Amino acid sequence: MSEITRRQHLPRLILTHAFTYAFSLIVYTISWFCLWNISRYLVSDLLLAGLFLPTGLKLAIYALSPRRLWPLFTIGEIGLIALMLPVISDDSALYLLMLFSIFSHGLAIAFQPYWRRLDVYWKQLLALCCFAFAYANLCGIALLMVSKPMGMTIDYALEGAVSALTGGILLMPFFFLLYDYLHRQIWQPLSPTLVHQEITLRSSALVWCLAFFSIGLAAELTFLEEMKSLSLLLFLLPNIFMAYRYGWQGGVLASVMNSILLATARQISGSFETDLELQSFIATQASIGLGLGIAISRQYLLSQQLKKANENLQAELHNKKQLAKQLVHVEEDIRKSVARELHDEIGQNITAIQIQSMLAKRLANSEQAETIADTTHELAMRIHTSTRQLLKQLRPQALDEMGLEAAIRQLATEMRFKERQVDFKLNFGILADRLDEVTAVTLYRIVQELLNNICKHAQASEVQLSLMPGSQFSLELRDNGVGLPDDWRSRGHGLRGIEERVHALSGQMTIRSNELGCRITVNLPTKSDTT
């Protein structure tokens, strides 16, 4: 069935391909002929005119079109030149143009494999410039080799190379811009209506080009002689502005616009003495505009990539913070569950063991039995004490029963600051309704660890603890002790554990320490901030 369908559609496919080839041939030959005639108004020599603007078109077509069309373009160009042989008396120039057509085709074959591997615009533009430079050198070498038999000078070979280079540098980026603009269109057929989004070229760029062209043309017609010393700067200003504002697209448009202005100045006032001077000036300003545009576009691309990388990094950090916060919540839930199990199950069993040991002692009929009962009761008491200590580490019971402020005051009492002649002051201003369970436990554990370190190492006589509300909970602990050692991060895990826990809850911790004491500040988000 597919074979029958293919045969039915074969005439239509042949007709479509034939139309494509015919249309491409006609458009290319007409464009080449028009550019050659425009070049003849700027360059008096027939051969140099053929190497000037048509070079940009030819090399751009070879770089951007499918390879299957290249023979058609080459044959069409050679055929067009052959048709002009009876009309133009300078046969040698036309034969050389035919030879250069073959040169460009062969050079394009070598250039295409490298061109296909490029996917970044600035690399593609640089490759096109290198393509134009190689073709210009090839034309210059060919003219140099035939200069003596054909009675040409060495300067003529240089003019031929400059003409080809100028045409390539000027028009190849321009045709690449048109190709990029026409090729990169986004159609969204899945939307309610077809949305056509233009990506590269903006209308404001064309408006600025027209404005600069009008200003430049007016300056040439009125102030050309007075501003002759500043002409180079005036012609480069549009390139700089357009490249800065629109990147390489603006640089290309400004270069083409300036070239038209330069050609106008040549025809109206004869501001350039020779064709070589005009072409060199055009090539220079086009190279400057393109170079600035590429540099600015690449810098903008790098900044966009950096911005995107920063956004991805921020999102990743946010996800990691959320995960760490979730782990802290899970840890507290597990601690609470384990503490409940220890209190309910093991506590009851220990109490039962104690009762059974007391009953066993009463019913003992020998001294050995009483000793066993006493030993069992003592072991049960030890297990009970160890369990209470473990419960306090897992879940501070005072915090659940009395609240954070009372639990901290009880903790300070357990530290026996009065017996140690330490003046302890607590300034508590946190509202309970702004305090969630995990944050309350975290603050309690932080205070517990910090007060424990002061009792063991600080040798302080004054300790001031402040917990104040605000956009974040602020905990500040000051003492007048000996301060922390310089290598405190590597000597213990207490403060480092506090830092990790604070950061997991999206908080901040700062430590300032010297020989006069230590100041530790911890900021944690409130309940409204975390929701």
Side-chain angles (χ1 to χ4, degrees):
M1 185 66 181
S2 59
E3 181 67 21
I4 296 176
T5 304
R6 190 182 67 83
R7 290 181 179 179
Q8 290 177 349
H9 289 81
L10 185 59
R12 181 179 298 178
L13 291 175
I14 294 175
L15 182 62
T16 302
H17 285 291
F19 176 79
T20 301
Y21 282 99
F23 180 78
S24 301
L25 176 62
I26 293 173
V27 170
Y28 175 73
T29 53
I30 292 176
S31 301
W32 191 96
F33 184 75
C34 292
L35 289 176
W36 178 67
N37 278 279
I38 294 173
S39 300
R40 291 198 63 185
Y41 283 100
L42 303 176
V43 181
S44 58
D45 187 85
L46 181 67
L47 176 60
L48 297 181
L51 290 176
F52 188 27
L53 296 181
T55 294
L57 171 67
K58 177 168 53 180
L59 297 184
I61 288 296
Y62 282 131
L64 302 176
S65 64
R67 189 170 177 176
R68 65 178 184 274
L69 298 177
W70 293 1
L72 189 69
F73 297 143
T74 303
I75 295 173
E77 182 178 346
I78 294 176
L80 178 63
I81 297 172
L83 291 176
M84 292 186 292
L85 285 174
V87 181
I88 299 176
S89 58
D90 193 357
D91 296 344
S92 59
L94 296 180
Y95 287 127
L96 285 176
L97 286 177
M98 294 181 186
L99 180 63
F100 293 150
S101 300
I102 299 175
F103 285 171
S104 60
H105 192 132
L107 191 62
I109 294 175
F111 173 74
Q112 190 187 45
Y114 175 74
W115 170 260
R116 285 181 174 178
R117 295 195 297 267
L118 303 178
D119 56 354
V120 183
Y121 70 92
W122 65 270
K123 293 182 179 180
Q124 292 175 331
L125 287 171
L126 290 179
L128 291 176
C129 293
C130 294
F131 188 25
F133 183 76
Y135 177 72
N137 284 336
L138 188 63
C139 293
I141 294 173
L143 290 176
L144 185 63
M145 294 177 63
V146 300
S147 58
K148 190 172 182 179
M150 299 183 64
M152 301 177 182
T153 62
I154 298 178
D155 293 339
Y156 188 82
L158 177 62
E159 291 179 3
V162 172
S163 296
L165 179 62
T166 303
I169 292 294
L170 178 63
L171 290 186
M172 284 183 69
F174 179 72
F175 286 119
F176 178 75
L177 172 62
L178 294 180
Y179 171 82
D180 183 73
Y181 175 71
L182 296 174
H183 183 69
R184 299 194 182 190
Q185 304 292 320
I186 292 183
W187 292 87
Q188 299 177 350
L190 298 181
S191 59
T193 58
L194 289 176
V195 179
H196 180 245
Q197 297 180 348
E198 299 172 352
I199 297 179
T200 56
L201 192 60
R202 289 179 283 180
S203 58
S204 57
L206 299 177
V207 173
W208 277 109
C209 277
L210 293 176
F212 278 117
F213 179 81
S214 302
I215 295 172
L217 184 61
E220 289 177 6
L221 296 177
T222 56
F223 304 108
L224 185 61
E225 293 298 329
E226 293 80 358
M227 304 175 66
K228 193 171 183 178
S229 58
L230 300 176
S231 59
L232 178 60
L233 178 61
L234 292 176
F235 280 115
L236 289 181
L237 283 178
N239 294 62
I240 298 173
F241 175 81
M242 296 293 291
Y244 175 77
R245 188 176 179 91
Y246 300 103
W248 69 271
Q249 296 100 332
V252 170
L253 290 176
S255 299
V256 175
M257 177 198 68
N258 279 348
S259 300
I260 298 174
L261 289 175
L262 292 171
T264 305
R266 170 69 181 278
Q267 295 298 319
I268 294 177
S269 60
S271 55
F272 296 96
E273 297 180 357
T274 62
D275 298 337
L276 182 61
E277 183 179 353
L278 172 64
Q279 294 173 3
S280 301
F281 202 98
I282 291 176
T284 301
Q285 63 90 23
S287 300
I288 292 175
L290 184 61
L292 287 174
I294 290 175
I296 293 173
S297 295
R298 187 165 182 263
Q299 187 66 27
Y300 176 77
L301 178 62
L302 292 176
S303 66
Q304 292 297 314
Q305 292 176 348
L306 180 60
K307 181 180 178 181
K308 185 177 180 180
N310 288 333
E311 291 176 354
N312 294 336
L313 180 60
Q314 290 294 333
E316 188 69 22
L317 290 176
H318 177 72
N319 293 335
K320 287 184 177 180
K321 283 185 178 181
Q322 291 297 114
L323 178 60
K325 187 183 297 185
Q326 187 177 358
L327 290 176
V328 171
H329 284 262
V330 171
E331 179 186 356
E332 289 300 329
D333 292 340
I334 293 176
R335 284 173 177 264
K336 187 176 182 179
S337 176
V338 173
R340 186 184 302 111
E341 292 295 328
L342 286 175
H343 182 272
D344 295 342
E345 298 295 333
I346 299 180
Q348 293 178 5
N349 292 331
I350 292 175
T351 302
I353 293 173
Q354 291 175 342
I355 294 174
Q356 293 296 323
S357 64
M358 293 173 62
L359 292 175
K361 183 177 180 180
R362 290 180 181 180
L363 299 176
N365 53 10
S366 64
E367 183 178 354
Q368 185 177 7
E370 291 183 359
T371 303
I372 293 174
D374 291 336
T375 303
T376 303
H377 185 270
E378 182 180 355
L379 290 174
M381 291 298 298
R382 290 181 182 178
I383 295 174
H384 180 71
T385 303
S386 299
T387 303
R388 288 182 61 87
Q389 293 294 329
L390 184 59
L391 284 173
K392 186 181 294 186
Q393 294 178 4
L394 288 174
R395 185 73 180 180
Q397 188 176 1
L399 184 63
D400 293 331
E401 295 177 352
M402 300 181 294
L404 180 60
E405 181 179 4
I408 292 177
R409 294 189 183 278
Q410 180 180 347
L411 184 62
T413 303
E414 294 175 358
M415 296 291 177
R416 299 179 180 178
F417 284 120
K418 290 185 178 180
E419 289 81 351
R420 299 180 183 182
Q421 304 299 319
V422 177
D423 183 15
F424 176 77
K425 296 179 181 179
L426 174 62
N427 183 15
F428 192 93
I430 297 179
L431 300 177
D433 60 345
R434 299 292 302 277
L435 194 65
D436 61 72
E437 183 180 2
V438 175
T439 305
V441 175
T442 301
L443 288 173
Y444 180 84
R445 297 190 189 281
I446 290 173
V447 172
Q448 185 180 31
E449 179 66 29
L450 295 179
L451 293 182
N452 187 44
N453 288 341
I454 290 176
C455 291
K456 290 182 179 180
H457 310 293
Q459 302 177 17
S461 60
E462 295 180 2
V463 178
Q464 182 176 352
L465 176 62
S466 301
L467 290 92
M468 301 301 296
S471 59
Q472 290 186 325
F473 290 127
S474 178
L475 183 153
E476 183 182 67
L477 181 65
R478 296 188 181 191
D479 67 70
N480 63 346
V482 297
L484 295 173
D486 296 334
D487 57 345
W488 64 268
R489 291 184 181 275
S490 60
R491 294 182 61 177
H493 301 283
L495 291 178
R496 282 192 299 167
I498 292 176
E499 277 188 314
E500 293 174 359
R501 197 175 185 87
V502 169
H503 291 159
L505 293 175
S506 301
Q508 301 89 31
M509 178 177 178
T510 58
I511 299 177
R512 297 178 182 177
S513 177
N514 53 40
E515 66 275 3
L516 300 179
C518 183
R519 178 185 176 187
I520 299 176
T521 304
V522 176
N523 293 317
L524 288 174
T526 61
K527 184 187 296 184
S528 60
D529 295 331
T530 57
T531 57

